[in-house]
């Protein structure tokens, strides 16, 4: 009996040896974040403007710009540091998990918490989390290519001379065993040679590439306009340094410096929100793709069901016993061997729920009988294969000769192993259908005895023992989650290795569409790609499926234009997980290979968590769209208000200090307000977006332009009225600048959800209060008023500025209606013109 170390010992050793992880150098230091922030185009422009002011001897201007430079850098560094911490934490959470024994109990822990002395359970598909020595089980087939470069697996075992150690980072290809850790972190072999497994590089996402392209285009426009304004102003005024200042101010106004930061913060924030729903994002781009899923291929066991197997019934020699509906205190002798050889066909230290259920039933019904064999040792394992869905274990008693073999698996596989035909096979198949129709997972059990073991289990002389029916109740929230997906236009496809009757019973319970149609793996193999594509349009249940068939389904769905999410947990699922647009690995029962191939990991293996993640993915994309629309809208008035006075020889309104101040408001708004916007219920009642759609479609761009021009019209009206009334330059600037700020607030509130609760309205309210406070300091503290070149605004002036904000809000509310009317009119005109062209009559 393996006991392992205690939790207290583990904590002490964790402090002594440190976490079991290797630093990869991808985390940015605080200094690096500050340096990167200083390299941002807008801040470089601000530094350039400050240098020119220094040359001109305008010390007050230099001081004000340094202050804004410090504030903008502080906000940028705070946001990026917060994002870095989020990404670092997510990376830490998504590190490999390991099964250990602590205080005599099995538990799953993060790989970084493993300490020397821990007992680790390894099975097929696991990445070895530390250097360890095999102490029980095996032999194992190990891929050591990460260390040696050799592609051939190496056999490891307690009894193989010099081959009883396994090194961190290597991969278990086949077998199960327990090992004792002797090296962690930098004390492992891979740590000593300075190689890190976690070379996690965050590649640009499609949205980030779109944003970069947009910034580059606007940067080019800014460069052309800046050079034009510098040349025009310089030629007309002969004040070239001032012309350069005006040109650089215009460049600050045009360049949407916030876009890259907004994207990174939104995606990291989305990943963090998803992690709170028990879903870890291994690749940040997955947050984008989640919102566009159109087909969701999901395992039944453990995802739609509770993965809490219990033995519900046993069948042997024409008799069935129901262990759930009737209270069975003592199992009839006729069923002993079914349970006995079901246990012998299982791992002695089970982690699989089915095998746990068999062991649990054995302890309940076979305790103190001769049908439990704790003294027997495993001599060979015949693993499950694509060709034969059955697993066998050969055991040996030290006091007896020969091997006793237990086999379990799909009933048809066990029938095949036992070479049953005719009436015998037909009777078993009939009973399987009866049990499966109750929603039970049915497995067959067989036994064999052999003096020597053949290379394949099919060569053994198996005798059929009976059937075991296992119940796995559906998750309480599965039905609502499936309905929500189907309402959102997502095709939910259930993929399982179970019998069709079992799958259909579960499908009816969860409300899956079209439960009458089923495709088995064997039937799929007979279909051409075109025929399978047709079947996938309406079939939602797939049974007796193999990993390669999963991969084929993903491929065909993608060829049909679907955005596919696929769940999986085994080594053989890795190709399908990698092929899918979103690979979803199981965190509780999944292998490390599956997790490495997947985009996201379900910590609780729960279907509702996938739905929650999809909802957050849609919310993130929707809020990003609104943030981009806001940024486009607000940069238009700032740009135009910077250009008009230069062209028409009016007093300059926006100086560098004003544009810098506006950026102090715009960046927090575009990140804090929009990122925190709650999900709209309607989002999960709309069809998924198309993955190749731009972040801002034409209608959104036109609406944003209308908003921007409307704000420009309102603010410039304030400018012209004050200019017409012959106010001083500083007074005109104060009124126009304040009107622009209030119009910006109106723009922010135009994006607010009308159905939002009072609590959810706190963010825009706080932003408003913060903005009003900052404006009040600028307008009424003499030092700042002087730095901003503003005049004291009287109550009547403030009322006028607030009124401009109200007028802006009214216009912004009407703009969508104006736009809809224009689109309908244009569409109608185009239709009429097209009808005239195609008409046969003049």
């Amino acid at each position: 009996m393996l006991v392992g170390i205690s939790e207290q010992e583990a904590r002490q050793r964790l402090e002594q040896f440190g976490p079991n992880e290797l630093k990869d150098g991808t985390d940015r230091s605080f200094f690096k974040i500050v340096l990167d922030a200083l390299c941002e185009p807008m801040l470089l422009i601000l530094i350039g403007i400050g240098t020119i002011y220094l040359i001109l001897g305008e010390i007050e201007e230099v001081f004000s710009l340094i202050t804004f430079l410090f504030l903008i850098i502080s906000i940028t560094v705070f946001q990026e540091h917060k994002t870095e911490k989020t990404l670092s934490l997510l990376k830490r959470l998504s590190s490999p998990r390991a099964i250990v024994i602590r205080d005599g109990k099995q538990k799953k822990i993060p790989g970084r918490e493993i300490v020397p002395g821990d007992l680790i359970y390894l099975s097929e598909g696991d990445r070895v989390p530390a250097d360890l020595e095999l102490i029980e089980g095996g032999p194992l087939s190990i891929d050591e290519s990460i260390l040696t470069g050799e592609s051939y697996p190496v056999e490891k075992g307690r009894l193989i001379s010099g081959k009883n150690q396994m090194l961190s980072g290597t991969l278990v290809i086949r077998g199960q065993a327990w090992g004792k850790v002797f090296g962690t972190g930098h004390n492992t072999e891979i740590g000593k040679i300075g190689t890190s497994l976690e070379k996690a590089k965050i590649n640009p996402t499609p949205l980030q590439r779109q944003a970069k392209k947009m910034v580059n285009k606007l940067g080019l426009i800014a460069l052309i306009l800046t050079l034009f304004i510098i040349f025009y102003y310089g030629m007309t005024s002969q004040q070239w340094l001032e012309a350069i200042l005006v040109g650089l101010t215009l460049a600050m106004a045009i360049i949407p410096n916030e876009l890259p930061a907004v994207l990174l913060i939104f995606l990291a924030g989305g990943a963090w929100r998803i992690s709170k729903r028990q879903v870890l994002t291994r690749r940040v781009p997955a947050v984008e793709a989640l919102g566009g899923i159109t087909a969701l291929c999901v395992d039944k066991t453990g995802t739609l069901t509770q993965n809490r197997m219990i033995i519900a019934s046993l069948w042997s020699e024409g008799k069935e016993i129901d262990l759930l509906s009737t209270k069975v205190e003592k199992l009839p002798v006729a069923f002993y061997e079914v349970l006995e050889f079901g246990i012998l066909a299982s791992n002695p230290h089970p982690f699989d729920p089915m095998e746990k259920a068999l062991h649990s039933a054995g302890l309940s019904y076979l305790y103190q009988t001769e049908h439990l064999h704790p003294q027997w040792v495993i001599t060979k394992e015949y693993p499950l294969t694509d060709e034969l869905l059955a697993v066998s274990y050969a055991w040996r008693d030290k006091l007896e000769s020969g091997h006793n073999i237990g086999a379990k698996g799909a009933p048809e596989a066990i029938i095949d192993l036992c070479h049953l035909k005719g009436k015998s096979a037909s009777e078993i198949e009939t009973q399987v259908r009866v049990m499966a129709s109750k929603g039970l997972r049915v497995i067959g059990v067989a036994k064999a005895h052999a003096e020597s073991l053949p290379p394949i289990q099919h060569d053994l002389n198996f005798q059929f023992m009976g059937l075991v029916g296992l119940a796995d109740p559906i998750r309480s929230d599965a039905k609502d989650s499936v309905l929500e997906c189907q309402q959102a236009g997502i095709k939910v496809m259930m993929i399982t290795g179970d019998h069709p009757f079992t799958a259909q019973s579960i499908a009816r319970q969860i409300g899956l569409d079209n439960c009458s149609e089923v495709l088995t793996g064997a039937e799929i193999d007979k279909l051409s790609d075109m025929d399978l594509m047709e079947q996938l349009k309406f079939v939602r249940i797939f049974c007796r499926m193999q990993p390669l068939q999963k991969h084929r389904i993903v491929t065909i769905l993608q060829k049909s234009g679907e955005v596919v999410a696929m769940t999986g947990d085994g080594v053989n699922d890795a190709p399908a997980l990698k092929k899918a647009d979103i690979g979803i690995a199981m965190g509780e029962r999944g292998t490390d290979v599956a997790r490495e191939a997947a985009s996201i990991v379900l910590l609780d293996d729960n279907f509702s968590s996938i739905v929650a993640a999809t909802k957050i993915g849609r919310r993130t994309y929707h809020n990003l769209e609104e943030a981009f629309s806001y940024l486009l809208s607000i940069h238009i008035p700032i740009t135009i208000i910077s250009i008009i006075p230069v062209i028409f020889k009016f007093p300059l309104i926006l100086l560098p200090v004003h544009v810098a101040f506006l950026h102090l408001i715009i960046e927090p708004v575009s990140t804090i307000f929009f990122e925190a916007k709650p999900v709209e219920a309607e989002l999960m009642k709309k069809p998924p977006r198309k993955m190749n759609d731009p972040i801002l479609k034409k209608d959104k761009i036109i609406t944003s332009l209308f908003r921007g021009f409307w704000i420009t019209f309102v603010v410039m009206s304030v400018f012209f009225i004050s200019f017409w009334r012959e106010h001083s330059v500083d007074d005109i600037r104060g009124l126009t600048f304040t009107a622009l700020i209030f119009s910006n607030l109106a723009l922010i509130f135009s994006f607010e959800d009308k159905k939002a609760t009072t609590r959810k309205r706190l963010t825009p309210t706080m932003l408003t209060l913060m903005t009003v406070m900052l404006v009040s300091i600028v307008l009424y503290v003499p030092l700042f008023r002087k730095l901003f070149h503003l005049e004291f605004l009287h109550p009547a002036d403030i009322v006028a500025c607030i009124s401009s904000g109200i007028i802006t809000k009214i216009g912004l509310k009407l703009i969508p209606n104006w736009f809809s009317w224009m689109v309908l009119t244009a569409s109608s005109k185009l239709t009429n013109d097209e009808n005239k062209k195609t008409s046969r009559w003049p």
Side-chain angles (χ1 to χ4, degrees), residues 773-817:
M773 184 182 71
L774 288 173
V775 171
S776 301
I777 291 170
V778 167
L779 290 175
Y780 298 111
V781 175
L783 173 64
F784 288 102
R785 194 165 62 244
K786 186 179 180 183
L787 290 173
F788 277 76
H789 300 278
L790 305 175
E791 192 61 69
F792 184 93
L793 293 188
H794 296 89
D797 299 325
I798 294 296
V799 169
C801 293
I802 292 173
S803 299
S804 68
I806 294 169
I807 293 167
T808 299
K809 184 72 170 70
I810 294 168
L812 292 175
K813 191 174 182 180
L814 295 174
I815 279 173
N817 297 330

Side-chain angles (χ1 to χ4, degrees), residues 37-106:
L38 283 169
C39 293
E40 290 290 337
M42 196 199 74
L43 293 178
L44 290 174
I45 292 169
L46 210 54
I47 291 168
I49 292 171
T51 305
I52 294 171
Y53 273 132
L54 192 62
I55 294 169
L56 292 171
E58 300 282 352
I59 303 301
E60 288 182 354
E61 302 290 351
V62 174
F63 171 76
S64 64
L65 287 180
I66 288 173
T67 304
F68 277 109
L69 190 68
F70 174 76
L71 289 171
I72 291 170
I73 288 174
S74 297
I75 290 172
T76 304
V77 169
F78 172 76
Q79 293 275 34
E80 294 216 15
H81 183 61
K82 186 178 173 184
T83 302
E84 284 289 322
K85 281 178 69 177
T86 299
L87 291 172
S88 178
L89 187 56
L90 286 170
K91 187 174 153 191
R92 197 178 276 187
L93 286 170
S94 60
S95 68
R97 318 280 289 176
I99 300 167
V100 301
I101 293 182
R102 297 263 178 93
D103 294 318
K105 296 178 181 177
Q106 283 188 31

Side-chain angles (χ1 to χ4, degrees), residues 7 12 53 100 276 369 407 459 508 521 551 560 587 591 678 699:
E7 285 291 352
Q12 290 171 352
Y53 273 132
V100 301
K276 290 181 177 180
T369 72
D459 292 340
R508 280 191 289 271
H551 185 276
S560 305
T591 61
D699 59 335

Side-chain angles (χ1 to χ4, degrees), residues 352-474:
D352 179 87
M354 183 205 307
E355 295 188 344
K356 281 185 174 181
L358 285 164
H359 276 268
S360 177
L363 288 174
S364 297
Y365 298 118
L366 302 181
Y367 184 65
Q368 292 184 335
T369 72
E370 59 184 14
H371 294 274
L372 291 179
H373 311 284
Q375 75 279 11
W376 288 11
V377 293
I378 294 176
T379 52
K380 188 174 179 66
E381 177 196 356
Y382 295 97
L384 185 112
T385 65
D386 291 346
E387 294 76 29
L388 188 66
L389 299 176
V391 61
S392 300
Y393 283 90
W395 300 78
R396 191 163 198 163
D397 184 354
K398 294 176 183 178
L399 303 176
E400 295 180 12
S401 63
H403 306 265
N404 291 299
I405 303 102
K408 72 176 189 305
E412 58 267 32
I414 299 299
I415 290 170
D416 183 29
L417 271 182
C418 298
H419 306 289
L420 297 176
K421 293 179 182 177
K423 187 178 179 181
S424 298
S426 178
E427 183 185 2
I428 296 167
E429 287 166 356
T430 301
Q431 182 61 29
V432 168
R433 285 193 290 272
V434 170
M435 294 169 74
S437 64
K438 301 174 188 175
L440 300 180
R441 182 177 183 180
V442 186
I443 60 169
V445 176
K447 73 173 183 178
H449 182 85
E451 291 301 320
S452 61
L453 296 172
I456 59 172
Q457 57 183 326
H458 219 291
D459 292 340
L460 288 162
N461 187 24
F462 277 107
Q463 178 186 349
F464 188 82
M465 288 287 96
L467 299 172
V468 178
L470 297 111
D472 184 11
I474 65 164

Side-chain angles (χ1 to χ4, degrees), residues 201-210 212 267 284-285 288:
K201 182 181 178 184
I202 301 172
N203 295 315
T205 71
L207 280 180
Q208 284 173 324
R209 288 195 289 272
Q210 278 189 44
K212 187 176 180 181
L267 292 177
V284 171
E288 289 179 31

